[in-house]
Every structure is written in structure tokens, then in C-alpha cells.
Amino acid sequence: MAALYRKFVGNAALFIGELATQDAVARVETLHTLKGSAAMMGASRLAAEAAAWEVGAQQSVQVEQAMTQLNAELAKFRVAAAERLRELGVSLEP
């Protein structure tokens, strides 16, 4: 379980970081992937945030604002996941 959370948190951070250099089409795809991955991991607020930006990315999007908000939600999820794993005697850190 910890390995899945680690992989998700790392990949999500990469996806968010890639947004700054992507064109609109790639940005929509990345946000869609982030939305689905977050939903599967139970990061519902991150999934909802990615979904909202995905819709916006189809027209125009404030990339820095999107990245800031997505990173904030990822940070909240990371804290919650770390706390839950700590309760199970496992660390989120490798």
C-alpha cells in the first residue's frame, strides 16, 4: 500500500510540473490522467481540482494558478496518506 501511495505522489508531482511546458492538448491529457489517478487513489479533492482545470484547459488556462492549486491539494493528500500509513506502522517515505 505504501509503495502505491509513494508512486502516486511522485507521479502526480511530475504531472503537475509538466503542465508549465505543455501545449493545450497535452495539458488536457495530463490533467485527465491526473484526475483519474487521483480518483483511484482516493484523492477526491485533487481529482476534482484536476477535473475543473481539465475543463478550463480545453479553452485557456492560467497554468501557474492551476499548478499552485493542484500542488496544494497534492500536499494535503500527501499529509493525510502519511498519517494513515503511520497508523499502520509504515512510512510514506521510501
Side-chain angles (χ1 to χ4, degrees), residues 7-94:
K7 185 168 183 150
F8 167 72
V9 168
N11 286 342
L14 289 174
F15 292 152
I16 295 167
E18 291 173 350
L19 294 173
T21 60
Q22 294 177 325
D23 64 20
V25 172
R27 197 172 295 130
V28 169
E29 291 175 8
T30 297
L31 289 164
H32 182 78
T33 300
L34 179 59
K35 175 184 72 176
S37 297
M40 287 191 316
M41 292 303 295
S44 56
R45 290 188 311 225
L46 179 59
E49 192 73 36
W53 285 109
E54 179 185 11
V55 170
Q58 293 172 3
Q59 295 108 30
S60 65
V61 68
Q62 302 279 334
V63 177
E64 287 188 28
Q65 184 180 4
M67 292 174 67
T68 297
Q69 290 178 341
L70 291 165
N71 275 319
E73 285 304 327
L74 179 58
K76 291 175 190 175
F77 176 79
R78 190 178 191 293
V79 168
E83 287 177 16
R84 178 66 179 127
L85 290 172
R86 193 172 19 257
E87 291 170 2
L88 299 172
V90 181
S91 173
L92 182 60
E93 302 306 318

